[in-house]
Amino acid sequence: RKEVEQDPGPFNVPEGATVAFNCTYSNSASQSFFWYRQDCRKEPKLLMSVYSSGNEDGRFTAQLNRASQYISLLIRDSKLSDSATYLCVVNMLNGGSQGNLIFGKGTKLSVKP
Amino acid sequence: SAVISQKPSRDICQRGTSLTIQCQVDSQVTMMFWYRQQPGQSLTLIATANQGSEATYESGFVIDKFPISRPNLTFSTLTVSNMSPEDSSIYLCSVGPGSGGYTFGSGTRLTVV
């Protein structure tokens, strides 16, 4: 079983739509969780961290279910500028070396006018 | 968060040759990290570059193929040696975690012909 799995998409949605991405991880000892955004031919950039209690940043909501080893990202009122690949990232330890970071392959989102 | 300048941004190289990629950080950092992102794949950590000591390589990566230098706390290079078409990929350096999460350089898109 792959360590971090995501639906590769692409998700093609109209502007204004709500879209949800899912991610599962295999190591129950994983400690911290993130969603990164990677635009075409660009480097990944942090979108948001994911906390056990769930967290929201504007139109973006992230949730974590440790029992199911499942992370989600919800985007409301999609904008054209949301078109990108969304990477699920899991760290086996809090802080410290990136040697424990596991990246998903990413889910591609395309928002159409 | 740190700002990373990575170069070259892209290159096309002949098989059998070597390419050195540079990353300059605008602040001192203890560890720098080098990743590879093959087409359609997730980011894979190549090695951790520590100042004043040998780099630490992940499984599947060796120093002879990917020699790394870390002469000071703001700079590192990764060399891709004796290149083959299978080395065609995006190579990224990274630092963190910091206040902005893990920060990545803009990447080097390498094509080996």
Side-chain angles (χ1 to χ4, degrees), chain B residues 30-32 47-57 63 67-73 75-77:
Chain B
T30 305
M31 293 185 286
M32 292 179 70
T48 301
N50 306 299
Q51 196 272 331
S53 65
E54 290 282 337
T56 304
Y57 288 83
I63 188 171
I68 286 172
S69 79
R70 186 81 202 275
N72 57 55
L73 290 173
F75 186 80
S76 180
T77 68

Side-chain angles (χ1 to χ4, degrees), chain A residues 34 36 38 41-44 46 87 91 95-99 101 103-105, chain B residues 33 35 37 41-43 45 92 94-97 100-102 104-106 109:
Chain A
F34 311 89
Y36 272 70
Q38 186 171 24
R41 298 177 179 271
K42 299 285 188 181
E43 73 275 19
L46 179 66
L87 305 176
N91 197 347
S97 172
Q98 293 187 25
L101 280 184
F103 289 81
K105 291 185 179 181
Chain B
F33 305 89
Y35 287 86
Q37 187 175 27
Q41 301 298 314
S42 57
L43 276 74
L45 183 65
L92 301 113
S94 178
V95 301
Y102 305 96
F104 292 86
S106 54
R109 184 175 296 269

Side-chain angles (χ1 to χ4, degrees), chain A residues 58-76:
Chain A
R59 298 181 293 108
F60 299 86
T61 301
Q63 295 201 314
L64 166 65
N65 184 323
R66 285 188 183 271
S68 301
Q69 296 178 206
Y70 170 94
I71 306 159
S72 66
L73 176 68
L74 183 75
I75 304 176
R76 292 181 298 278

